[in-house]
Every structure is written in C-alpha cells, then in structure tokens.
Amino acid sequence: YAGLAYPSVIEYLRKLGVTAIELMPIHQFVNDSFLQEKGLSNYWGYNTIGFFSPASRYYGPKGLIGFRDMVRAFHDAGIEVILDVVFNHTAETDEFGPTLSFRGIDNASYYVLKQDNPDLYENYSGCGNTFNVAHPRVLQLVMDSLRYWVEEMHVDGFRFDLAASLTRDSAFLAAIAQDPLLSRVKLIA
C-alpha cells in the first residue's frame, strides 16, 4: 500500500487526470493448489477467504494502518478508492476443495448446494462454489464487511465480481438500497 501511495505515483496519476482508482481484490485470499503444485502463485486475489482483512502479502510494515494511510493519501489528492470485491464464491472451491472456514462452520448455510444432492455445490460463479448470499447470516456477513471497508478503511465504493451470481435469488440489492451508509457509496456491477 505504501508503494501505491508513494507521492510520485499519486502525482503521476493526478497528471493523467485520474479521479478514482479501483484495486483488484485485496481481501485475504488463498493460492490455488493447482498453481502451488506448479510452483506458481495467485496474485490476482479472486480466491477470497477473509472479507475483513487485506491480504497480508500487501501489508508492508504498517499493516492495516498502511492501508488507511494509502486511502488518506489518495483522498488528499482528490482520488477516490474503489475495491473490487469477491462475494460470489470463496477459496474453498467445490466439494473436493479444502475446508478452510465457511464449509467447516455451516456448509449448508454458507454455500448454495444442489437440491437433488446436497453433497455437491451449485457453481454459478464458475469457481467451484456459490456463496449463499440469500441466507440471512451470509447476507449479514457481506453487509458487515462492506460497512467495515467504508466506515473503518474509508473506501469510496465497490466493484462486485460476478454480480449476476451474487444477486441471484437474494435480497442483496435491496439490503444495499436500504442501508443508510452503503446506499451512498459508488457501486459497480
């Protein structure tokens, strides 16, 4: 974050006329096993497992304070910060993927399962599973995460990865529209 907010970087973006930056997913994410087997790593961040924490690989010595400092520096330069967020699936992938968090807590609530065989996952995301935002507790988790990034980290909005699968059969859009904080930020789908 300190590198992105380095004064010469911000000045360059200002000279270009940039008024907003969108960061690829910064939530804590997991390297895919098929990449690790090849000695590669996932640097895109679209394999989220922690919705309240920036990926530790980006921290630098100041941790979360570094993220806030970056946002503040962009705001001081008149540049908004938008986060690309992945709430449509998680790093636990399909029924053969690792149990890292949600699957072990309450698989049937956190994921959309096939009605005719609840041992299998619906895969509307193309990534092995679909996060079940239609479930009230899962929706609450997502909304709490969004509010956290706005209230505590001061981001200006969100771009929702695979928004069509995220909003399928859920009250997600209505919840955002009714939320006094989130209904005022930039939302990109």
Side-chain angles (χ1 to χ4, degrees), residues 8-176:
S8 61
V9 172
I10 290 177
E11 184 57 31
Y12 177 73
L13 293 173
R14 285 188 59 192
K15 283 182 182 177
L16 289 175
V18 171
T19 58
I21 62 163
E22 177 187 327
L23 301 179
M24 291 176 71
I26 59 132
H27 290 152
Q28 187 64 45
F29 63 94
V30 174
N31 281 317
D32 310 82
S33 60
F34 74 91
L35 289 174
Q36 289 179 328
E37 291 166 5
K38 296 176 182 175
L40 302 172
S41 64
N42 174 344
Y43 60 90
W44 291 86
Y46 289 92
N47 220 3
T48 301
I49 198 63
F51 299 120
F52 293 86
S53 173
S56 57
R57 65 184 77 192
Y58 304 139
Y59 263 25
K62 293 173 106 180
L64 286 176
I65 294 169
F67 184 88
R68 283 190 194 136
D69 289 349
M70 175 201 65
V71 172
R72 185 179 304 110
F74 276 109
H75 286 170
D76 289 347
I79 299 174
E80 295 178 310
V81 178
I82 297 171
L83 297 184
D84 191 341
V85 290
V86 182
F87 293 115
N88 56 72
H89 73 281
T90 73
E92 291 184 294
T93 69
D94 61 14
E95 55 275 3
F96 301 109
T99 298
L100 302 170
S101 179
F102 307 109
R103 177 180 292 147
I105 295 169
D106 187 357
N107 190 52
S109 294
Y110 282 101
Y111 295 107
V112 179
L113 305 175
K114 292 192 177 284
Q115 287 187 356
D116 59 340
N117 186 351
D119 291 335
L120 303 177
Y121 291 81
E122 289 291 359
N123 185 14
Y124 303 134
S125 67
C127 298
N129 65 52
T130 302
F131 210 48
N132 189 9
V133 183
H135 189 282
R137 294 294 68 85
V138 180
L139 177 59
Q140 180 181 9
L141 172 73
V142 170
M143 296 296 288
D144 287 349
S145 173
L146 293 171
R147 278 190 223 97
Y148 168 78
W149 289 99
V150 173
E151 289 178 330
E152 300 298 325
M153 298 301 178
H154 309 291
V155 301
D156 302 289
F158 304 96
R159 181 263 177 190
F160 297 97
D161 183 59
L162 294 174
S165 69
L166 177 64
T167 60
R168 178 188 297 256
D169 301 325
S170 80
F172 180 66
L173 295 176
I176 285 182

